[in-house]
């Protein structure tokens, strides 16, 4: 079955460490996205990529970095510059990066906590 | 970004219809209305979307007001598995498919 796989499901980080969250899709979608969700809140966009080797900052990109070297992969690095990284991180994809009538498909998320 | 307004919570009984309202008074003529739902500790799931006409799919129906300033998601026969947070979203960003989530409506289904 096609879908989006995020790993790990739970991740713990020590202060001052960088951590990388994995997101892989086998839907052959061009566009991929990273969102952050805090308790009781909606999702906020961190980064998005409309095509391989290209990505743009979303609303809350500070303290995060991404790469898009392959169509199926869009890893997110939470750097030590992100002062409040504890959150639920969600990856999504869509067929293309343009057009307003295409649904996004989400993974099941990674929950990041600070030790 | 155009904003949507939804009730914080709603409650219904199993096997009864559920009508989830959404106000979007600042919607422009080309903005699509999307609905997603999210179960606890899972990613959001696409439910339905529409522009002007009412829409039906296997999960739900979407009724859009004639002036498009409001819409209603209809679950025809709620089950316990429909208990989730439902988000009404306007897709308004040209050139990028950013979803702007509000706080959504938490739907509780009573057995």
């Amino acid at each position: 079955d096609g879908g989006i796989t995020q790993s790990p499901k739970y991740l713990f980080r020590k202060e001052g460490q960088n951590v990388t969250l994995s997101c892989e899709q086998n839907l052959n979608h061009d566009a991929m996205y990273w969102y952050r969700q805090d308790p009781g809140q909606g999702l906020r966009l961190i980064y998005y990529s409309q095509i391989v080797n290209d990505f743009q900052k979303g609303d809350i990109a500070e303290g995060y970095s991404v790469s898009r070297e392959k169509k199926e992969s869009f890893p997110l690095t939470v750097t030590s510059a992100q002062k409040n990284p504890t959150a639920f991180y969600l990856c999504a994809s869509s067929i293309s990066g343009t057009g307003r009538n295409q649904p996004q498909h989400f993974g099941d998320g990674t929950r990041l906590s600070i030790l | 970004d155009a904003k949507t307004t939804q009730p914080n919570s709603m409650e219904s009984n199993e096997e009864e219809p559920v009508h989830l309202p959404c106000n979007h008074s600042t919607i422009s003529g080309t903005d699509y209305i999307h609905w997603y739902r999210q179960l606890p500790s899972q990613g959001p799931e696409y439910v339905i979307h529409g522009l002007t006409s009412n829409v039906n799919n296997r999960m739900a129906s979407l009724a859009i007001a004639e002036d498009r300033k409001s819409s209603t998601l209809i679950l025809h026969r709620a089950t316990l598995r429909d208990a989730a947070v439902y988000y009404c979203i306007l897709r308004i960003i040209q050139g990028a498919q950013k979803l702007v989530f509000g706080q959504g409506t938490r739907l509780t289904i009573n057995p």
Side-chain angles (χ1 to χ4, degrees), chain A residues 5-107:
Chain A
T5 302
Q6 290 188 243
S7 61
K9 193 170 180 65
Y10 298 95
L11 188 58
F12 299 92
R13 191 190 93 169
K14 292 182 180 178
E15 295 278 356
Q17 276 186 338
N18 293 351
V19 290
T20 297
L21 283 59
S22 170
C23 178
E24 303 279 330
Q25 55 101 357
N26 60 4
L27 298 166
N28 199 33
H29 285 175
D30 283 329
M32 297 186 74
Y33 313 81
W34 274 105
Y35 292 88
R36 168 184 171 137
Q37 186 173 34
D38 293 288
Q41 305 296 315
L43 282 66
R44 292 182 291 166
L45 183 66
I46 304 173
Y47 267 98
Y48 64 97
S49 168
Q50 295 179 276
I51 199 166
V52 175
N53 292 323
D54 183 60
F55 50 83
Q56 288 81 39
K57 293 181 178 180
D59 297 322
I60 54 166
E62 186 175 349
Y64 300 97
S65 66
V66 293
S67 63
R68 187 84 188 279
E69 297 175 1
K70 297 187 295 183
K71 186 175 186 177
E72 59 270 23
S73 180
F74 191 40
L76 173 74
T77 297
V78 184
T79 74
S80 58
Q82 172 50 241
K83 297 307 177 189
N84 185 22
T86 297
F88 189 42
Y89 290 88
L90 288 153
C91 179
S93 72
S94 62
I95 292 173
S96 79
T98 58
R100 289 166 293 172
N101 63 345
Q102 294 174 9
Q104 291 187 10
H105 301 260
F106 285 82

Side-chain angles (χ1 to χ4, degrees), chain B residues 78-89:
Chain B
T79 70
L80 296 178
R81 289 179 298 176
D82 291 322
V85 177
Y86 286 78
Y87 294 100
C88 169
I89 298 162

Side-chain angles (χ1 to χ4, degrees), chain B residues 4-56:
Chain B
T4 61
T5 304
Q6 299 177 254
N8 288 333
S9 62
M10 290 184 64
E11 199 169 324
S12 186
N13 298 320
E14 200 174 9
E15 298 189 4
E16 290 184 357
V18 180
H19 291 233
L20 295 162
C22 180
N23 287 322
H24 29 78
S25 58
T26 59
I27 192 171
S28 72
T30 54
D31 294 341
Y32 280 83
I33 302 157
H34 285 244
W35 284 82
Y36 285 74
R37 71 181 185 182
Q38 187 177 22
L39 278 66
S41 297
Q42 292 187 24
E45 175 187 27
Y46 166 78
V47 177
I48 200 167
H49 76 274
L51 184 61
T52 56
S53 304
N54 294 345
V55 184
N56 300 298

Side-chain angles (χ1 to χ4, degrees), chain B residues 45-107:
Chain B
E45 175 187 27
Y46 166 78
V47 177
I48 200 167
H49 76 274
L51 184 61
T52 56
S53 304
N54 294 345
V55 184
N56 300 298
N57 66 20
R58 64 175 179 80
M59 291 180 69
S61 295
L62 176 61
I64 301 173
E66 196 168 334
D67 63 4
R68 299 206 334 119
K69 293 185 186 301
S70 66
S71 60
T72 302
L73 179 72
I74 302 165
L75 308 178
H76 294 286
R77 210 159 164 248
T79 70
L80 296 178
R81 289 179 298 176
D82 291 322
V85 177
Y86 286 78
Y87 294 100
C88 169
I89 298 162
L90 298 184
R91 296 290 291 275
I92 62 169
I93 308 299
Q94 291 278 10
Q97 293 188 41
K98 182 170 81 168
L99 295 177
V100 181
F101 284 79
Q103 292 193 322
T105 296
R106 183 173 299 276
L107 176 64

